[in-house]
Amino acid sequence: MYIKRRQVLIAMLVMSQLGCMAFGVLWASQWLHAAFNQIIHRSVTLQAESLALTIARQSSDLADLQQPVDAPGSKDSLQRLVEQLNVPHDGFVSIVRTADGKVIAATLAAPAGIKAGTALTTETLQSGKGSPQPLLAALTQDKGEGKQSFVSGMSEFAGQPYAVTALNVPQHEAAIVVSLSDASVNRLSAELVTPMIQVGFVLTGAVVGATALCTIFLVRRFDSTLLEVSSSLEREVERRTLGLQRSRNAVVFGLAKLAESRDKDAGQHLERLRTYVTVLASELAKHNSKIDHHYVANLAIASALHDVGKMGVPDAVILKLGKLTAAERRAMQMHTVLGDECLASVERMLGDNDQFLTFAREVAAAHHEQWDGSGYPYGLQGKDIPLAARIVALADVYDALTSHREYRPAASHAEAREWIVSHYGSQFDPEVVEAFIAREVDFAKISQAAAQLDERRVAGGVQAPAATQPEQQPAAGSAV
Protein backbone atom coordinates (compact mmCIF):
# COMPACT_ATOMS: atom_id res chain seq x y z
CA MET A 1 0.00 0.00 0.00
CA TYR A 2 2.84 2.34 0.88
CA ILE A 3 4.62 1.62 -2.42
CA LYS A 4 1.42 2.11 -4.44
CA ARG A 5 0.84 5.42 -2.72
CA ARG A 6 4.37 6.54 -3.66
CA GLN A 7 3.84 5.48 -7.27
CA VAL A 8 0.58 7.41 -7.47
CA LEU A 9 2.27 10.52 -6.04
CA ILE A 10 5.12 10.27 -8.56
CA ALA A 11 2.64 9.78 -11.41
CA MET A 12 0.64 12.81 -10.24
CA LEU A 13 3.82 14.88 -10.03
CA VAL A 14 4.89 13.89 -13.55
CA MET A 15 1.41 14.55 -14.95
CA SER A 16 1.20 17.96 -13.28
CA GLN A 17 4.65 18.89 -14.62
CA LEU A 18 3.68 17.68 -18.08
CA GLY A 19 0.41 19.62 -17.97
CA CYS A 20 2.05 22.83 -16.75
CA MET A 21 4.85 22.67 -19.31
CA ALA A 22 2.49 21.74 -22.16
CA PHE A 23 0.27 24.69 -21.23
CA GLY A 24 3.39 26.89 -21.15
CA VAL A 25 4.49 25.67 -24.58
CA LEU A 26 1.03 26.25 -26.05
CA TRP A 27 0.84 29.73 -24.57
CA ALA A 28 4.36 30.49 -25.79
CA SER A 29 3.51 29.16 -29.25
CA GLN A 30 0.51 31.48 -29.47
CA TRP A 31 2.64 34.38 -28.36
CA LEU A 32 5.42 33.45 -30.78
CA HIS A 33 2.92 33.05 -33.60
CA ALA A 34 1.51 36.52 -32.97
CA ALA A 35 4.96 38.04 -32.57
CA PHE A 36 6.31 36.35 -35.70
CA ASN A 37 3.22 37.41 -37.65
CA GLN A 38 3.89 41.03 -36.77
CA ILE A 39 7.58 40.70 -37.58
CA ILE A 40 7.00 38.86 -40.85
CA HIS A 41 4.23 41.22 -41.99
CA ARG A 42 6.45 44.16 -41.20
CA SER A 43 9.30 42.46 -43.09
CA VAL A 44 7.00 41.71 -46.00
CA THR A 45 5.83 45.33 -46.04
CA LEU A 46 9.43 46.53 -46.11
CA GLN A 47 10.20 43.99 -48.81
CA ALA A 48 7.26 45.26 -50.87
CA GLU A 49 8.29 48.88 -50.36
CA SER A 50 11.82 48.02 -51.48
CA LEU A 51 10.42 46.27 -54.57
CA ALA A 52 8.24 49.27 -55.40
CA LEU A 53 11.16 51.66 -55.05
CA THR A 54 13.26 49.40 -57.28
CA ILE A 55 10.56 49.45 -59.95
CA ALA A 56 10.34 53.23 -59.69
CA ARG A 57 14.09 53.58 -60.15
CA GLN A 58 14.17 51.17 -63.08
CA SER A 59 11.34 52.92 -64.89
CA SER A 60 13.44 54.99 -67.32
CA ASP A 61 10.47 56.62 -69.00
CA LEU A 62 7.76 57.32 -66.46
CA ALA A 63 6.40 59.91 -68.91
CA ASP A 64 4.79 56.95 -70.68
CA LEU A 65 2.48 56.77 -67.73
CA GLN A 66 0.64 59.79 -69.10
CA GLN A 67 -0.08 58.21 -72.49
CA PRO A 68 -3.41 56.45 -73.22
CA VAL A 69 -3.34 52.82 -72.36
CA ASP A 70 -4.60 51.80 -75.80
CA ALA A 71 -2.02 53.88 -77.70
CA PRO A 72 0.10 51.83 -80.16
CA GLY A 73 3.24 50.48 -78.46
CA SER A 74 2.44 52.25 -75.21
CA LYS A 75 3.63 50.89 -71.97
CA ASP A 76 5.56 48.02 -73.57
CA SER A 77 8.68 48.96 -71.67
CA LEU A 78 6.80 49.00 -68.34
CA GLN A 79 5.12 45.68 -69.10
CA ARG A 80 8.44 44.05 -69.88
CA LEU A 81 9.85 45.54 -66.68
CA VAL A 82 7.16 44.11 -64.40
CA GLU A 83 7.16 40.77 -66.19
CA GLN A 84 10.84 40.36 -65.39
CA LEU A 85 10.26 40.87 -61.69
CA ASN A 86 10.54 38.01 -59.24
CA VAL A 87 7.72 38.82 -56.82
CA PRO A 88 7.92 36.83 -53.54
CA HIS A 89 5.10 35.23 -51.57
CA ASP A 90 2.95 34.34 -54.61
CA GLY A 91 2.43 38.07 -55.23
CA PHE A 92 2.09 40.30 -58.25
CA VAL A 93 2.89 43.88 -59.21
CA SER A 94 0.63 46.30 -61.05
CA ILE A 95 1.16 49.91 -62.13
CA VAL A 96 -2.01 51.96 -61.85
CA ARG A 97 -2.86 55.39 -63.19
CA THR A 98 -4.38 57.35 -60.32
CA ALA A 99 -6.45 59.61 -62.55
CA ASP A 100 -8.85 56.87 -63.63
CA GLY A 101 -7.61 53.79 -61.76
CA LYS A 102 -6.71 51.89 -64.89
CA VAL A 103 -3.92 49.33 -64.83
CA ILE A 104 -0.99 50.34 -67.04
CA ALA A 105 1.08 47.16 -66.56
CA ALA A 106 0.80 43.98 -64.47
CA THR A 107 2.80 40.81 -63.91
CA LEU A 108 1.60 37.60 -65.49
CA ALA A 109 0.91 36.13 -62.01
CA ALA A 110 -1.76 38.79 -61.37
CA PRO A 111 -5.28 37.40 -60.77
CA ALA A 112 -7.84 37.49 -63.52
CA GLY A 113 -9.19 41.01 -63.93
CA ILE A 114 -5.86 42.69 -63.11
CA LYS A 115 -4.64 43.37 -66.64
CA ALA A 116 -3.56 46.40 -68.61
CA GLY A 117 -6.57 48.56 -69.36
CA THR A 118 -8.73 47.34 -66.47
CA ALA A 119 -9.71 49.76 -63.73
CA LEU A 120 -9.25 49.16 -59.95
CA THR A 121 -12.36 51.06 -58.93
CA THR A 122 -14.18 48.48 -56.79
CA GLU A 123 -11.27 47.17 -54.68
CA THR A 124 -11.06 48.45 -51.12
CA LEU A 125 -8.08 48.78 -48.81
CA GLN A 126 -8.18 47.94 -45.08
CA SER A 127 -5.25 49.77 -43.58
CA GLY A 128 -6.13 49.12 -39.95
CA LYS A 129 -6.83 52.81 -39.39
CA GLY A 130 -10.54 53.28 -39.54
CA SER A 131 -13.01 51.73 -41.96
CA PRO A 132 -12.02 50.29 -45.35
CA GLN A 133 -11.78 52.78 -48.21
CA PRO A 134 -11.56 52.45 -51.98
CA LEU A 135 -8.05 51.53 -53.12
CA LEU A 136 -7.98 54.41 -55.61
CA ALA A 137 -8.98 56.94 -52.92
CA ALA A 138 -6.24 55.63 -50.62
CA LEU A 139 -3.69 56.09 -53.40
CA THR A 140 -4.71 59.68 -54.17
CA GLN A 141 -4.83 60.97 -50.61
CA ASP A 142 -2.70 64.05 -50.09
CA LYS A 143 0.60 62.79 -48.71
CA GLY A 144 2.52 65.93 -49.50
CA GLU A 145 2.76 67.83 -52.77
CA GLY A 146 5.10 66.31 -55.30
CA LYS A 147 6.38 63.67 -52.87
CA GLN A 148 6.31 59.92 -53.17
CA SER A 149 4.47 58.15 -50.38
CA PHE A 150 3.45 54.62 -49.39
CA VAL A 151 0.08 53.24 -48.38
CA SER A 152 -0.37 49.67 -47.09
CA GLY A 153 -3.14 47.40 -45.93
CA MET A 154 -5.19 44.33 -46.84
CA SER A 155 -7.28 43.93 -49.94
CA GLU A 156 -8.96 41.14 -51.89
CA PHE A 157 -8.34 40.20 -55.49
CA ALA A 158 -10.32 37.40 -57.05
CA GLY A 159 -11.61 36.50 -53.57
CA GLN A 160 -8.14 35.99 -52.09
CA PRO A 161 -6.66 38.27 -49.39
CA TYR A 162 -3.45 40.12 -50.27
CA ALA A 163 -1.13 42.37 -48.31
CA VAL A 164 -1.02 45.49 -50.46
CA THR A 165 1.80 48.06 -50.47
CA ALA A 166 1.44 50.94 -52.95
CA LEU A 167 3.94 53.63 -53.84
CA ASN A 168 2.20 56.82 -55.00
CA VAL A 169 4.11 58.77 -57.65
CA PRO A 170 2.07 62.02 -57.73
CA GLN A 171 4.27 63.80 -60.27
CA HIS A 172 3.24 61.20 -62.87
CA GLU A 173 -0.26 60.55 -61.47
CA ALA A 174 0.57 56.88 -61.12
CA ALA A 175 1.10 54.29 -58.37
CA ILE A 176 3.09 51.09 -58.15
CA VAL A 177 1.02 48.45 -56.33
CA VAL A 178 2.78 45.40 -54.86
CA SER A 179 0.33 42.71 -53.71
CA LEU A 180 1.62 39.70 -51.74
CA SER A 181 -0.53 36.65 -50.92
CA ASP A 182 -1.59 36.71 -47.28
CA ALA A 183 -1.83 32.89 -47.26
CA SER A 184 1.78 32.65 -48.42
CA VAL A 185 2.88 35.06 -45.69
CA ASN A 186 1.00 33.05 -43.07
CA ARG A 187 2.61 29.85 -44.33
CA LEU A 188 6.01 31.44 -43.89
CA SER A 189 5.09 32.34 -40.33
CA ALA A 190 3.85 28.81 -39.64
CA GLU A 191 7.00 27.31 -41.17
CA LEU A 192 9.08 29.33 -38.74
CA VAL A 193 6.90 28.90 -35.65
CA THR A 194 5.89 25.22 -36.04
CA PRO A 195 9.45 23.80 -35.69
CA MET A 196 9.95 25.97 -32.61
CA ILE A 197 6.73 24.59 -31.13
CA GLN A 198 7.83 21.04 -31.95
CA VAL A 199 11.21 21.68 -30.36
CA GLY A 200 9.38 23.09 -27.33
CA PHE A 201 7.29 19.94 -26.96
CA VAL A 202 10.39 17.75 -27.39
CA LEU A 203 12.18 19.79 -24.73
CA THR A 204 9.10 19.56 -22.53
CA GLY A 205 9.10 15.78 -22.87
CA ALA A 206 12.83 15.66 -22.17
CA VAL A 207 12.55 17.92 -19.12
CA VAL A 208 9.55 16.03 -17.74
CA GLY A 209 11.25 12.69 -18.40
CA ALA A 210 14.47 13.86 -16.76
CA THR A 211 12.51 15.29 -13.84
CA ALA A 212 10.57 12.04 -13.46
CA LEU A 213 13.78 9.99 -13.51
CA CYS A 214 15.42 12.34 -11.01
CA THR A 215 12.31 12.19 -8.82
CA ILE A 216 12.22 8.40 -8.93
CA PHE A 217 15.95 8.26 -8.21
CA LEU A 218 15.66 10.67 -5.29
CA VAL A 219 12.58 8.89 -3.92
CA ARG A 220 14.37 5.56 -4.12
CA ARG A 221 17.43 7.03 -2.45
CA PHE A 222 15.16 8.51 0.21
CA ASP A 223 13.36 5.19 0.65
CA SER A 224 16.69 3.38 0.82
CA THR A 225 18.03 5.81 3.41
CA LEU A 226 14.75 5.67 5.30
CA LEU A 227 14.85 1.89 5.20
CA GLU A 228 18.40 1.88 6.53
CA VAL A 229 17.48 4.29 9.31
CA SER A 230 14.32 2.30 10.04
CA SER A 231 16.27 -0.96 10.11
CA SER A 232 18.84 0.62 12.38
CA LEU A 233 16.12 1.89 14.70
CA GLU A 234 14.39 -1.49 14.62
CA ARG A 235 17.64 -3.21 15.52
CA GLU A 236 18.22 -0.73 18.34
CA VAL A 237 14.63 -1.11 19.58
CA GLU A 238 14.97 -4.89 19.34
CA ARG A 239 18.27 -4.77 21.21
CA ARG A 240 16.82 -2.66 23.97
CA THR A 241 13.63 -4.72 24.04
CA LEU A 242 15.65 -7.88 24.40
CA GLY A 243 17.67 -6.20 27.14
CA LEU A 244 14.48 -5.24 28.95
CA GLN A 245 13.07 -8.72 28.46
CA ARG A 246 16.24 -10.27 29.87
CA SER A 247 16.05 -7.91 32.84
CA ARG A 248 12.36 -8.73 33.29
CA ASN A 249 12.99 -12.44 32.99
CA ALA A 250 15.81 -12.25 35.52
CA VAL A 251 13.55 -10.38 37.97
CA VAL A 252 10.69 -12.81 37.36
CA PHE A 253 12.94 -15.79 37.84
CA GLY A 254 14.37 -14.24 41.02
CA LEU A 255 10.88 -13.67 42.43
CA ALA A 256 9.87 -17.19 41.49
CA LYS A 257 12.92 -18.61 43.28
CA LEU A 258 12.10 -16.42 46.25
CA ALA A 259 8.59 -17.86 46.28
CA GLU A 260 10.07 -21.34 46.40
CA SER A 261 13.12 -20.39 48.47
CA ARG A 262 12.32 -23.12 50.97
CA ASP A 263 13.08 -25.71 48.30
CA LYS A 264 16.78 -25.93 47.43
CA ASP A 265 15.92 -27.43 44.03
CA ALA A 266 13.68 -24.50 43.11
CA GLY A 267 16.09 -23.02 40.54
CA GLN A 268 16.60 -26.31 38.68
CA HIS A 269 12.86 -27.06 38.84
CA LEU A 270 11.96 -23.72 37.27
CA GLU A 271 14.57 -24.15 34.53
CA ARG A 272 13.31 -27.63 33.69
CA LEU A 273 9.71 -26.45 33.81
CA ARG A 274 10.48 -23.63 31.38
CA THR A 275 12.11 -26.10 28.98
CA TYR A 276 9.20 -28.57 29.19
CA VAL A 277 6.69 -25.77 28.59
CA THR A 278 8.65 -24.56 25.56
CA VAL A 279 8.66 -28.06 24.06
CA LEU A 280 4.92 -28.59 24.63
CA ALA A 281 3.89 -25.14 23.35
CA SER A 282 6.08 -25.50 20.25
CA GLU A 283 4.45 -28.82 19.43
CA LEU A 284 0.94 -27.43 19.94
CA ALA A 285 1.81 -24.48 17.66
CA LYS A 286 1.88 -26.88 14.69
CA HIS A 287 -1.90 -27.26 14.92
CA ASN A 288 -2.89 -24.01 16.66
CA SER A 289 -2.49 -20.77 14.72
CA LYS A 290 -2.88 -18.70 17.90
CA ILE A 291 0.43 -20.00 19.24
CA ASP A 292 3.42 -18.14 17.78
CA HIS A 293 6.99 -17.65 18.95
CA HIS A 294 5.94 -14.71 21.16
CA TYR A 295 3.32 -16.94 22.80
CA VAL A 296 5.90 -19.67 23.45
CA ALA A 297 8.52 -17.27 24.83
CA ASN A 298 6.09 -15.42 27.13
CA LEU A 299 4.54 -18.64 28.43
CA ALA A 300 7.96 -20.16 29.13
CA ILE A 301 8.89 -17.22 31.39
CA ALA A 302 5.41 -16.90 32.90
CA SER A 303 5.56 -20.56 33.95
CA ALA A 304 8.17 -19.64 36.58
CA LEU A 305 5.46 -17.72 38.49
CA HIS A 306 3.09 -20.68 38.77
CA ASP A 307 3.73 -21.01 42.52
CA VAL A 308 4.33 -17.33 43.35
CA GLY A 309 1.33 -17.44 45.71
CA LYS A 310 3.22 -19.81 48.05
CA MET A 311 4.86 -16.78 49.59
CA GLY A 312 1.54 -16.23 51.35
CA VAL A 313 1.29 -19.78 52.70
CA PRO A 314 2.56 -20.32 56.29
CA ASP A 315 5.89 -22.12 56.73
CA ALA A 316 4.22 -24.68 58.97
CA VAL A 317 2.16 -25.83 56.00
CA ILE A 318 4.85 -25.50 53.35
CA LEU A 319 7.54 -27.36 55.33
CA LYS A 320 5.34 -30.06 56.83
CA LEU A 321 6.50 -33.55 55.84
CA GLY A 322 3.51 -35.49 57.04
CA LYS A 323 0.01 -35.64 55.66
CA LEU A 324 -1.80 -32.30 55.61
CA THR A 325 -5.01 -31.83 57.54
CA ALA A 326 -8.11 -30.57 55.73
CA ALA A 327 -7.45 -27.02 56.99
CA GLU A 328 -3.80 -27.18 55.99
CA ARG A 329 -4.74 -28.49 52.54
CA ARG A 330 -7.16 -25.59 52.09
CA ALA A 331 -4.37 -23.21 53.14
CA MET A 332 -2.01 -24.85 50.66
CA GLN A 333 -4.58 -24.63 47.86
CA MET A 334 -4.95 -20.88 48.56
CA HIS A 335 -1.56 -20.28 46.90
CA THR A 336 -3.33 -20.33 43.52
CA VAL A 337 -5.73 -17.56 44.59
CA LEU A 338 -2.97 -15.56 46.26
CA GLY A 339 -0.81 -15.78 43.14
CA ASP A 340 -3.72 -14.68 40.95
CA GLU A 341 -4.49 -11.69 43.19
CA CYS A 342 -0.82 -10.66 43.40
CA LEU A 343 -0.35 -10.69 39.65
CA ALA A 344 -3.72 -9.00 39.07
CA SER A 345 -2.60 -6.07 41.22
CA VAL A 346 0.61 -5.82 39.16
CA GLU A 347 -1.43 -5.90 35.95
CA ARG A 348 -3.75 -3.14 37.19
CA MET A 349 -0.78 -1.01 38.20
CA LEU A 350 0.81 -1.32 34.76
CA GLY A 351 -2.51 -0.67 33.04
CA ASP A 352 -1.41 -2.55 29.95
CA ASN A 353 -2.76 -5.67 28.27
CA ASP A 354 0.51 -7.56 28.44
CA GLN A 355 0.49 -11.18 27.23
CA PHE A 356 3.19 -12.17 29.70
CA LEU A 357 1.18 -10.96 32.72
CA THR A 358 -1.98 -12.56 31.34
CA PHE A 359 -0.21 -15.91 31.06
CA ALA A 360 1.33 -15.49 34.53
CA ARG A 361 -2.13 -14.90 36.07
CA GLU A 362 -3.69 -17.82 34.20
CA VAL A 363 -0.87 -20.18 35.16
CA ALA A 364 -0.78 -19.08 38.82
CA ALA A 365 -4.55 -19.39 39.21
CA ALA A 366 -5.34 -22.51 37.18
CA HIS A 367 -2.34 -24.84 37.01
CA HIS A 368 -4.08 -27.14 39.52
CA GLU A 369 -7.38 -27.20 37.62
CA GLN A 370 -8.18 -30.56 35.99
CA TRP A 371 -9.79 -31.39 32.67
CA ASP A 372 -12.70 -33.23 34.30
CA GLY A 373 -13.43 -30.32 36.69
CA SER A 374 -12.10 -31.98 39.85
CA GLY A 375 -9.25 -29.53 40.34
CA TYR A 376 -8.99 -26.33 42.38
CA PRO A 377 -9.46 -23.46 43.19
CA TYR A 378 -12.48 -22.81 40.91
CA GLY A 379 -13.30 -26.29 39.63
CA LEU A 380 -12.92 -25.25 35.99
CA GLN A 381 -13.54 -27.93 33.38
CA GLY A 382 -12.30 -28.62 29.85
CA LYS A 383 -11.44 -25.61 27.70
CA ASP A 384 -12.68 -23.25 30.38
CA ILE A 385 -9.23 -23.80 31.81
CA PRO A 386 -6.79 -21.44 30.06
CA LEU A 387 -4.53 -23.25 27.58
CA ALA A 388 -1.44 -21.77 29.26
CA ALA A 389 -2.44 -23.38 32.57
CA ARG A 390 -3.16 -26.73 30.90
CA ILE A 391 0.32 -26.80 29.37
CA VAL A 392 2.09 -25.84 32.60
CA ALA A 393 0.04 -28.38 34.60
CA LEU A 394 1.35 -31.35 32.60
CA ALA A 395 4.94 -30.02 32.56
CA ASP A 396 4.85 -29.45 36.33
CA VAL A 397 3.56 -32.96 37.05
CA TYR A 398 6.14 -34.57 34.76
CA ASP A 399 8.98 -32.71 36.48
CA ALA A 400 7.65 -33.62 39.92
CA LEU A 401 7.42 -37.32 38.97
CA THR A 402 10.91 -37.51 37.46
CA SER A 403 12.66 -35.51 40.20
CA HIS A 404 14.19 -37.03 43.36
CA ARG A 405 12.28 -36.37 46.58
CA GLU A 406 13.11 -37.09 50.23
CA TYR A 407 10.15 -39.39 50.55
CA ARG A 408 10.60 -41.24 47.20
CA PRO A 409 13.10 -41.81 44.41
CA ALA A 410 12.67 -40.19 41.01
CA ALA A 411 10.41 -42.05 38.57
CA SER A 412 11.76 -43.05 35.19
CA HIS A 413 10.51 -41.41 32.03
CA ALA A 414 8.52 -44.53 31.14
CA GLU A 415 6.81 -44.53 34.56
CA ALA A 416 6.02 -40.82 34.33
CA ARG A 417 4.71 -41.28 30.80
CA GLU A 418 2.45 -44.15 31.87
CA TRP A 419 1.09 -42.10 34.78
CA ILE A 420 0.35 -39.06 32.57
CA VAL A 421 -1.27 -41.16 29.83
CA SER A 422 -3.43 -42.88 32.43
CA HIS A 423 -4.88 -39.45 33.31
CA TYR A 424 -5.63 -38.62 29.66
CA GLY A 425 -8.94 -36.75 29.53
CA SER A 426 -9.35 -36.76 33.31
CA GLN A 427 -6.60 -34.65 34.82
CA PHE A 428 -4.94 -33.47 31.61
CA ASP A 429 -6.09 -31.90 28.35
CA PRO A 430 -6.04 -34.66 25.68
CA GLU A 431 -4.36 -32.35 23.14
CA VAL A 432 -1.60 -31.49 25.59
CA VAL A 433 -1.07 -35.18 26.37
CA GLU A 434 -0.82 -35.93 22.64
CA ALA A 435 1.75 -33.12 22.27
CA PHE A 436 3.68 -34.67 25.18
CA ILE A 437 3.67 -38.09 23.53
CA ALA A 438 4.82 -36.56 20.23
CA ARG A 439 7.80 -34.96 21.98
CA GLU A 440 8.45 -37.52 24.73
CA VAL A 441 11.97 -38.11 23.43
CA ASP A 442 12.80 -34.49 24.21
CA PHE A 443 11.24 -34.83 27.66
CA ALA A 444 13.31 -37.96 28.31
CA LYS A 445 16.54 -36.19 27.30
CA ILE A 446 15.81 -33.22 29.56
CA SER A 447 14.91 -35.53 32.47
CA GLN A 448 18.03 -37.64 31.94
CA ALA A 449 20.25 -34.54 31.89
CA ALA A 450 18.67 -33.41 35.16
CA ALA A 451 19.25 -36.84 36.75
CA GLN A 452 22.91 -36.77 35.74
CA LEU A 453 23.25 -33.34 37.28
CA ASP A 454 21.77 -34.66 40.55
CA GLU A 455 24.26 -37.56 40.54
CA ARG A 456 27.17 -35.16 40.13
CA ARG A 457 25.83 -33.04 42.98
CA VAL A 458 25.54 -36.09 45.24
CA ALA A 459 29.01 -37.28 44.23
CA GLY A 460 30.36 -33.87 45.08
CA GLY A 461 28.90 -34.01 48.56
CA VAL A 462 26.05 -31.61 47.92
CA GLN A 463 23.09 -32.16 50.20
CA ALA A 464 20.06 -33.65 48.57
CA PRO A 465 17.05 -31.37 48.06
CA ALA A 466 14.72 -30.87 50.94
CA ALA A 467 11.36 -32.52 50.93
CA THR A 468 8.60 -30.76 49.08
CA GLN A 469 5.00 -30.31 50.02
CA PRO A 470 2.83 -33.38 50.31
CA GLU A 471 0.54 -31.87 47.69
CA GLN A 472 3.27 -32.49 45.11
CA GLN A 473 3.28 -36.25 45.74
CA PRO A 474 1.71 -38.30 42.96
CA ALA A 475 -0.16 -40.21 45.64
CA ALA A 476 -2.16 -37.08 46.21
CA GLY A 477 -3.84 -37.84 42.91
CA SER A 478 -4.94 -34.55 41.43
CA ALA A 479 -2.32 -32.27 42.94
CA VAL A 480 1.35 -32.02 42.04
Side-chain angles (χ1 to χ4, degrees), residues 252-270:
V252 168
F253 202 74
L255 290 174
K257 287 187 67 176
L258 179 62
E260 300 193 21
S261 58
R262 286 155 288 189
D263 186 349
K264 294 181 181 179
D265 189 46
Q268 288 72 30
H269 165 62
L270 296 178

Side-chain angles (χ1 to χ4, degrees), residues 169-247:
V169 188
Q171 62 269 33
H172 297 293
E173 296 183 0
I176 301 171
V177 181
V178 180
S179 304
L180 304 178
S181 173
D182 189 58
S184 177
V185 174
N186 288 334
R187 273 198 308 273
L188 175 61
S189 176
E191 287 173 359
L192 292 173
V193 174
T194 300
M196 298 182 68
I197 295 174
Q198 292 173 346
V199 170
F201 277 115
V202 170
L203 290 176
T204 296
V207 170
V208 171
T211 303
L213 291 176
C214 289
T215 302
I216 293 172
F217 173 75
L218 291 174
V219 168
R220 286 186 175 178
R221 282 293 300 272
F222 173 78
D223 284 343
S224 177
T225 303
L226 186 62
L227 182 61
E228 290 177 3
V229 173
S230 178
S231 299
S232 177
L233 288 175
E234 286 179 359
R235 287 193 297 270
E236 180 64 18
V237 170
E238 185 177 359
R239 185 184 67 81
R240 295 193 178 189
T241 301
L242 289 175
L244 290 173
Q245 287 179 346
R246 283 193 294 267
S247 299

Side-chain angles (χ1 to χ4, degrees), residues 374-426:
S374 61
Y376 67 86
Y378 306 116
L380 300 178
Q381 184 177 8
K383 292 191 176 181
D384 290 338
I385 307 170
L387 177 58
R390 286 179 262 154
I391 294 173
V392 172
L394 188 146
D396 190 32
V397 168
Y398 180 85
D399 186 64
L401 291 172
T402 56
S403 298
H404 175 78
R405 292 294 182 263
E406 184 73 18
Y407 47 82
R408 62 160 174 80
S412 66
H413 168 74
E415 292 171 335
R417 179 188 186 280
E418 182 180 357
W419 195 91
I420 289 174
V421 170
S422 67
H423 290 78
Y424 178 99
S426 58

Side-chain angles (χ1 to χ4, degrees), residues 305-321:
L305 295 173
H306 68 292
D307 279 339
V308 69
K310 286 184 177 180
M311 287 189 292
V313 179
D315 287 347
V317 176
I318 290 290
L319 300 177
K320 185 176 180 179
L321 296 178

